[in-house]
Amino acid sequence: KAGVSVMTVSRAMSGEGYVAEKTREKVLAAARELGYTPNLSARMMKGSRTNVIGVLVNDLLSTVINEIVGAVSVSLRKCGMDLILYNSIDDIGASGRSGVQQMIRNHCDGLLFVLPRLSEGYTEFLEASSQPTVLVNYCRTDTTLPVVSGANYAGGVAAAEHLLALGHRRIGFIAGSQHTGQSQERERGYKAALRKAGIRSDRTLVAQGDFGQGSGFEAAGKLLRLPDPPTAIFAANDDMAIGAINAAHSLGLAVPQDVSVVGFDDIPAASLLHPRLTTLRQPLADISAAAVAELVRRINNADGQRHRTEFPCELVVRESTAAAPLREAA
């Protein structure tokens, strides 16, 4: 429009620098009328903010990842920011998709990695980078990058102690994949609770899964077919716990009368099963909001930055756990 300088239009569109409110409204109205959107590449080349965050994930089929991404989106909107979502089937940082990942880094003010599978050496690359980065629910390796997560170890302890309090002594564990380190921490907590109760860890009572329902079904089937099967199973996530319940039913066993089952995460399906699943609830909304706040602090070079933030998990007791069968109690 006549009478408005290019500099004024630039300031109004970017939100940087002073522009009278009436003038800003006129510029934005004209931009809407013309269908104009800012060129992120041009803004990036000038060193300006894009107000866009890159969110990188490895599995969009994961209920937990979807919940986190949804909560992250809500928190970013409150900050006046948007997100670009990148889903990598392979490990993030793998050379085959490095060009796409470089593009995302160039167009974003900061990066959030949600339950990431990071390729070897990529963590070190991120640590050396000046780009603000936060990892969500990652504890596989020590890192100088900021991490926001649930208290996986303490949650594993709470799950095992709940079953021990019900009289169970042969407690199986179904492990998930090793990518994020969460399964290892939950297993470490489970074993620590057994040691505290004076019970030796039995390797035959630990079965490997991959966080999917099918793997929980197969792993639980192996455990429940042992000559001396467990009377309770703690699965490293809810999906595998659901698979374990189905495996018990397929073998003619009743849950929780014959075998108790505990999960982790408290996904929506956990309260819709029959029986409803006892699980550890992760405060995913709080984790997501804290991750966004930490990333924004680092983008703004603000004080109060944290290296690691853990949120406690809540034991939610439902109908999938009960007192150990009489043979176990005896």
Side-chain angles (χ1 to χ4, degrees):
K1 299 287 184 181
V4 180
S5 69
V6 173
M7 181 63 72
T8 300
V9 171
S10 176
R11 288 176 176 174
M13 294 299 296
S14 67
E16 298 176 1
Y18 174 75
V19 178
E21 190 59 33
K22 287 186 177 180
T23 302
R24 187 189 305 277
E25 290 177 0
K26 289 181 180 179
V27 170
L28 295 178
R32 287 193 295 270
E33 181 181 339
L34 296 171
Y36 172 80
T37 56
N39 187 313
L40 289 181
S41 296
R43 290 176 64 180
M44 178 271 295
M45 290 175 66
K46 293 180 180 180
S48 300
R49 293 277 182 84
T50 63
N51 287 327
V52 175
I53 298 301
V55 179
L56 294 90
V57 303
N58 278 101
D59 181 10
L60 281 176
L61 296 178
S62 165
T63 302
V64 173
I65 287 179
N66 275 280
E67 284 196 40
I68 292 174
V69 171
V72 163
S73 179
V74 171
S75 294
L76 286 174
R77 289 281 181 165
K78 291 178 181 178
C79 299
M81 306 179 81
D82 288 305
L83 65 82
I84 292 176
L85 180 63
Y86 174 67
N87 181 44
S88 176
I89 298 174
D90 302 317
D91 290 357
I92 296 174
S95 58
R97 305 294 290 174
S98 58
V100 177
Q101 293 164 26
Q102 180 64 43
M103 180 192 70
I104 291 172
R105 288 198 299 272
N106 289 343
H107 286 78
C108 296
D109 295 333
L111 302 175
L112 275 179
F113 290 80
V114 180
L115 276 72
R117 290 168 43 185
L118 301 178
S119 62
E120 187 175 353
Y122 196 62
T123 306
E124 289 80 0
F125 167 79
L126 293 172
E127 290 171 342
S129 171
S130 60
Q131 185 163 37
T133 299
V134 174
L135 307 183
V136 181
N137 277 3
Y138 180 81
C139 48
R140 182 179 179 183
T141 60
D142 291 331
T143 177
T144 59
L145 295 168
V147 177
V148 182
S149 71
N152 294 286
Y153 172 81
V157 171
E161 287 184 342
H162 169 65
L163 294 170
L164 289 165
L166 291 171
H168 296 278
R169 292 299 177 266
R170 286 188 63 76
I171 302 172
F173 178 77
I174 301 178
S177 59
Q178 309 297 300
H179 302 300
T180 64
Q182 293 185 104
S183 179
Q184 295 95 308
E185 285 297 288
R186 293 167 190 177
E187 182 177 355
R188 194 166 67 87
Y190 148 82
K191 290 180 176 178
L194 294 183
R195 283 196 304 272
K196 185 177 178 181
I199 300 173
R200 283 188 178 184
S201 296
D202 185 343
R203 285 182 296 178
T204 65
L205 292 180
V206 177
Q208 185 64 51
D210 62 10
F211 283 130
Q213 283 191 30
S215 72
F217 183 93
E218 292 183 10
K222 293 177 182 177
L223 292 174
L224 296 173
R225 290 188 182 94
L226 290 171
D228 188 7
T231 61
I233 292 175
F234 168 37
N237 79 337
D238 287 346
D239 278 327
M240 293 192 299
I242 292 170
I245 290 176
N246 290 333
H249 291 162
S250 73
L251 295 171
L253 300 173
V255 177
Q257 292 83 355
D258 297 315
V259 59
S260 291
V261 178
V262 177
F264 206 110
D265 290 328
D266 196 26
I267 62 175
S271 61
L272 302 176
L273 295 174
H274 180 71
R276 298 188 306 156
L277 182 64
T278 294
T279 186
L280 275 297
R281 176 181 295 157
Q282 289 205 79
L284 297 180
D286 294 337
I287 291 171
S288 304
V292 169
E294 184 62 35
L295 187 60
V296 171
R297 274 195 293 269
R298 291 173 182 269
I299 292 170
N300 294 329
N301 293 313
D303 295 331
Q305 296 177 7
R306 299 180 180 180
H307 172 58
R308 188 172 193 93
T309 306
E310 273 197 354
F311 285 85
C313 300
E314 176 191 356
L315 177 67
V316 180
V317 180
R318 298 193 180 104
E319 292 83 19
S320 69
T321 53
L326 292 178
R327 63 179 176 83
E328 179 72 358

